[in-house]
Amino acid sequence: MNKTVMREVVVPSKVDEMKKQLSKLTAKGDLLYYALADLAGSLSEGSKKILAEKKIDLPSFEAEYEPWYSEALLVVKQVLPDRVDDFVKQYKNEKRKEIDYLTYTISDALLSLTTRRNGNVVAEPGTAIPKMQIQVSILKSAEKRFESALFDISEVLQSDIFDSELDAASELSKKGFYRAAGAVAGVVLEKHLGKVCSTHNLKSRKKHPSISDFYQLLKDADVIDVPKWRFIQHLGDIRNLCDHGKHRDPNKDDIDDIDELVEGVGKVIKTVF
């Protein structure tokens, strides 16, 4: 007696680790900000007292800023690409024609560069403190944006799981397990439509809504048009043959329908959001 064992697919997610690393990077930026202020002789006594009370040792700005900058820049590029130029400009300004208070950068501070005009100091390492503050602020904005992007990341992971399940359904069909193939594809379709309804805050009055309930909700809310509604309805009918048509097993005449169901569900999960 053949038994088909369905096991829950567990996809290891690195989301929590990514959040943890980004939080550490932001915290390191705060410490580097204070380290630069300390290096420039501008760290307030109040800040020194708080750091001492919390037993926080400041990093070496000269030794640890560059590695932090490289890592932080990658984050900004990936999460907040529209702020990359602003982030880079605080570190180095390739287009400047002279060095003054506005064009002085963090790279100048790393060189302990001081500029004077008529014997007066125009810019020195302390001038870069606001630049460092801007970089940390941009990174914190990226951290907030990352939080909102976690939904998109979870969607990608969910899509990967669905693709794997559809691959399994296709293999079942090839081996003659047509009812099982249709049932698996149907489950994927139901889960995806339920997820889409949840995304659009659409709720069924039924305690356990079905595929037909989900696609009707989506049609009524204009999330899907009539042709797509009819297409999903057709897929639902094929799924019902596999899942509920217990008066007979799907036969060779139904094979094309089963394959159409698997392929159709693949299209739906990639086009209906």
Side-chain angles (χ1 to χ4, degrees):
M1 180 177 178
N2 292 329
K3 292 184 179 180
T4 301
V5 180
M6 301 298 291
R7 293 184 298 177
E8 182 180 359
V9 179
V10 179
V11 178
S13 172
K14 292 187 177 182
V15 171
D16 289 338
E17 182 62 26
M18 291 164 67
K19 288 171 62 178
K20 182 179 178 181
Q21 292 299 321
L22 183 50
S23 179
K24 288 175 62 176
L25 192 62
T26 303
K28 182 65 173 292
D30 282 328
L31 291 180
L32 286 170
Y33 166 79
Y34 288 117
L36 175 58
D38 189 39
L39 180 68
S42 301
L43 188 63
S44 68
E45 292 301 322
S47 295
K48 291 179 180 179
K49 183 177 180 181
I50 292 174
L51 291 170
E53 290 175 349
K54 294 184 177 182
K55 298 181 179 180
I56 297 175
D57 294 325
L58 293 177
S60 166
F61 188 80
E62 300 99 319
E64 300 187 39
Y65 171 79
E66 292 278 9
W68 176 87
Y69 171 79
S70 298
E71 191 173 351
L73 179 58
L74 287 176
V75 172
V76 176
K77 283 181 176 179
Q78 294 177 18
V79 182
L80 216 61
D82 57 321
R83 298 301 305 276
V84 170
D85 289 344
D86 289 337
F87 192 83
V88 172
K89 189 167 63 176
Q90 311 310 316
Y91 169 66
K92 198 167 188 177
N93 186 352
E94 299 285 359
K95 296 181 180 181
R96 68 185 179 188
K97 296 181 180 179
E98 61 178 355
I99 302 176
D100 55 24
Y101 185 85
L102 294 177
T103 61
Y104 192 92
T105 63
I106 296 172
S107 62
D108 296 321
L110 288 169
L111 296 173
S112 300
L113 182 65
T114 298
T115 60
R116 292 179 170 82
R117 187 175 300 153
N118 298 325
N120 299 317
V121 174
V122 175
E124 41 82 36
T127 308
I129 294 174
K131 315 284 183 170
M132 185 65 203
Q133 186 174 31
I134 290 173
Q135 284 193 331
V136 175
S137 296
I138 291 174
L139 186 61
K140 288 180 178 179
S141 296
E143 186 176 24
K144 291 180 181 179
R145 174 67 184 88
F146 179 79
E147 288 290 338
S148 65
L150 290 182
F151 174 78
D152 299 327
I153 294 172
S154 67
E155 286 294 296
V156 172
L157 293 175
Q158 186 67 68
S159 178
D160 287 344
I161 293 174
F162 285 164
D163 285 341
S164 296
E165 291 179 343
L166 287 177
D167 287 342
S170 182
E171 284 299 313
L172 286 170
S173 179
K174 290 177 181 178
K175 293 177 180 178
F177 297 99
Y178 305 122
R179 183 187 294 281
V184 171
V187 169
V188 172
L189 179 61
E190 186 171 300
K191 284 181 179 180
H192 179 72
L193 294 179
K195 183 72 173 178
V196 176
C197 285
S198 177
T199 299
H200 292 275
N201 295 316
L202 302 176
K203 295 182 180 180
S204 173
R205 294 181 179 179
K206 294 184 179 180
K207 186 175 181 180
H208 301 292
S210 63
I211 290 176
S212 60
D213 297 315
F214 288 136
Y215 64 62
Q216 192 61 46
L217 282 172
L218 294 172
K219 175 180 175 291
D220 293 342
D222 292 326
V223 176
I224 58 175
D225 56 19
V226 173
K228 192 157 288 183
W229 170 74
R230 287 176 178 163
F231 178 66
I232 298 174
Q233 186 179 50
H234 174 61
L235 296 179
D237 291 340
I238 300 175
R239 181 260 193 176
N240 289 338
L241 169 65
C242 301
D243 207 33
H244 302 304
K246 295 183 179 179
H247 59 286
R248 72 173 177 86
D249 285 331
N251 54 44
K252 62 180 182 179
D253 296 326
D254 301 312
I255 295 175
D256 289 342
D257 284 341
I258 300 299
D259 291 339
E260 180 185 355
L261 172 61
V262 175
E263 183 179 350
V265 172
K267 291 180 180 177
V268 170
I269 64 176
K270 289 176 172 60
T271 58
V272 178
F273 303 101

